[in-house]
Amino acid sequence: MPNPLKLAVICSSNMNRSMEAHNFLSKKGYRVQSFGTGDKVKLPGAAPDRPNVYEFGTPYDDIYQDLLQKDRELYTRNGLLHMLDRNRRIKPHPEKFQSTTEQFNLILTCEERVYDQVIECLEGRDSQTTPVHVVNIEIQDNHEEATIGAFLMCELVSMMANSDDLDNDIDELLQDFEAKCQRPVLHCLLFY
């Protein structure tokens, strides 16, 4: 039987953490989409004060080609070209959460600021009849942490998917998960 959970994984730019989790969860058979909540898509540049900035909706392939042209060696060394290559095999372009009309039963965020932006967005929507659990797991924005975060998210989703009554079990599931992974977890139930 297919899993009834419909998931969203969300970070700031829909590039690293959310895409690693999207990739991992979809390979495990979950129905998942990924998004970012930032104003723009930002990637490290040649200097800390000069990031590469793109609009949401810019194809991953265009970003890949742009970085390849700017400095193949730098962006190969720092892993951005590899990350973008993965991303373009998953979906066409980064998507902004605030622009979607999709509905989910579970939204996973990767940092508290993104969690707050998701809650603000959902609270501002008109219809308030669909329940959604919003859960945040703190994941640093680097390649190694994104991989660890994807495993953690998959473990949490697996626990939730195996629950017969998620609404009743979620507090205990999250307590167990938080104790096991030793990371702070935020949770709220919203209707949108």
Side-chain angles (χ1 to χ4, degrees):
M1 179 176 109
N3 191 289
L5 286 178
K6 186 172 181 192
L7 313 168
V9 288
I10 307 173
C11 65
S12 185
S13 289
N14 197 200
M15 279 287 167
N16 184 29
R17 298 166 292 177
S18 63
M19 288 301 291
E20 182 69 25
H22 182 157
N23 188 39
F24 195 79
L25 288 163
S26 65
K27 285 180 178 175
K28 295 289 185 182
Y30 293 104
R31 292 185 308 154
V32 61
Q33 290 178 259
S34 59
F35 301 93
T37 58
D39 292 329
K40 306 265 189 226
V41 173
K42 294 180 185 169
L43 294 170
D49 62 337
R50 292 196 335 240
N52 291 288
V53 180
Y54 305 93
E55 295 293 330
F56 278 93
T58 304
Y60 289 118
D61 194 54
D62 290 1
I63 299 169
Y64 181 95
Q65 296 301 330
D66 183 49
L67 296 184
L68 194 64
Q69 182 179 13
K70 286 180 178 176
D71 191 336
R72 175 190 295 259
E73 193 274 326
L74 170 66
Y75 297 118
T76 298
R77 187 177 66 243
N78 71 9
L80 288 183
L81 292 178
H82 176 74
M83 177 186 74
L84 286 161
D85 188 49
R86 173 205 62 204
N87 293 357
R88 65 186 180 177
R89 285 184 269 122
I90 297 169
K91 66 182 200 176
H93 54 80
E95 297 174 82
K96 188 170 176 125
F97 178 72
Q98 293 90 328
S99 300
T100 188
T101 57
E102 293 282 334
Q103 294 190 331
F104 304 94
N105 340 63
L106 175 61
I107 296 174
L108 299 170
T109 62
C110 302
E111 65 180 275
E112 189 170 350
R113 179 177 54 87
V114 171
Y115 175 82
D116 292 341
Q117 290 170 324
V118 166
I119 291 170
E120 181 182 329
C121 174
L122 293 176
E123 286 177 340
R125 295 198 176 164
D126 289 338
S127 173
Q128 306 224 328
T129 58
T130 304
V132 61
H133 291 280
V134 183
V135 177
N136 183 71
I137 304 169
E138 284 297 315
I139 302 167
Q140 291 177 10
D141 194 2
N142 62 55
H143 299 301
E144 182 180 336
E145 273 285 305
T147 301
I148 293 167
F151 278 98
L152 292 173
M153 286 184 174
C154 189
E155 185 171 338
L156 179 59
V157 169
S158 176
M159 292 167 66
M160 292 178 164
N162 289 322
S163 169
D164 292 329
D165 185 359
L166 183 58
D167 292 337
N168 193 44
D169 296 345
I170 194 161
D171 289 334
E172 189 176 333
L173 287 174
L174 289 174
Q175 271 185 331
D176 293 348
F177 177 77
E178 193 172 33
K180 184 177 181 181
C181 75
Q182 295 296 301
R183 290 178 190 236
V185 174
L186 299 173
H187 167 255
C188 69
L189 175 63
L190 293 175
F191 292 85
Y192 73 111

